Amino acid sequence: MSIRFTAKARRGMVALTCAAGLAVGVAGCGGSGGDDKKPDSSASASRTGGSDPSAQEGQSDEPLAELKGSDGLLLQVASAQRDAGGFVTVNGTLKNDGAKDLLIPAALSGNETEITKNGPSLGGATLVDSQGKKRYYVLRDTEGRPLTTTGLNTLKGGQSLPVFMQFPSPPTDVTEVTLQLPTLSSASIKISG
């Protein structure tokens, strides 16, 4: 009888161990596991194909500024955030306010060969610090690609696209700059952070 009891006890312990392992495994797959989506902290990575910008945190529904272009093209600036790495990231939305399809003007890429050879972008953008009498151009990665949304082509009527641009940071005492993009009106924006 002791052999039967020992075998039953072992099977019971194995079943209990398996059940406990499954319970722990299922609990580990819950909402606070390590595989949750994390925000992209590498804001300096170049974006291609018109991809979305990194998470646009702390933005209100009211834009900081609007830059208007022809045929209903509109850039709504949502934030201009100074980062500890020595750059300013401008996030916003490029929108076609018109009813017809709109080809994004090639002039938005600027006229620098190194930037334009990487395709349509917002590489022609600049920040102007009138206080320090300086102009800041869009940053580039080591291969010359602009650190801005790229791959811009056509926006359908009413369509909008999240965009970003990164610039060297003006001195910390400069909190207001003018954002300029070819073919669009200029606008004053406040830098936070």
Side-chain angles (χ1 to χ4, degrees), residues 85-116:
F87 53 89
V88 170
T89 302
V90 176
N91 288 302
T93 304
L94 195 61
K95 185 176 183 182
N96 178 358
D97 254 359
K100 297 179 182 177
D101 289 1
L102 177 63
L103 182 65
I104 304 296
L108 290 179
S109 298
N111 57 10
E112 290 185 49
T113 306
E114 191 171 359
I115 289 180
T116 57

Side-chain angles (χ1 to χ4, degrees), residues 10-25:
R10 282 188 197 147
R11 282 194 301 261
M13 285 302 291
V14 168
L16 181 60
T17 303
C18 288
L22 279 172
V24 169

Side-chain angles (χ1 to χ4, degrees), residues 5 14 28 37 45-46 59 61 64 85 87 97 100-102 125-127 130 139 143 147 150 178 189:
F5 179 75
V14 168
K37 287 186 180 180
S46 179
Q59 294 177 14
D61 290 340
L64 285 179
F87 53 89
D97 254 359
K100 297 179 182 177
D101 289 1
L102 177 63
T126 58
L127 290 182
S130 56
L139 290 169
E143 296 174 12
L147 298 183
T150 59
T178 302
I189 59 173

Side-chain angles (χ1 to χ4, degrees), residues 50 104-106 108-109 115-123 146 149-153:
I104 304 296
L108 290 179
S109 298
I115 289 180
T116 57
K117 74 178 182 182
N118 288 293
S121 70
L122 300 176
T149 305
T150 59
L152 304 172
N153 289 315

Side-chain angles (χ1 to χ4, degrees), residues 7 19 28 32 37 52 59 67 73 80 91 96 99 109 113 121 129 134 165 170 174 181 183 189:
S32 61
K37 287 186 180 180
D52 293 348
Q59 294 177 14
L67 286 74
L73 185 62
N91 288 302
N96 178 358
S109 298
T113 306
S121 70
D129 167 14
K134 289 193 174 187
M165 298 159 270
V174 176
L181 267 144
T183 76
I189 59 173

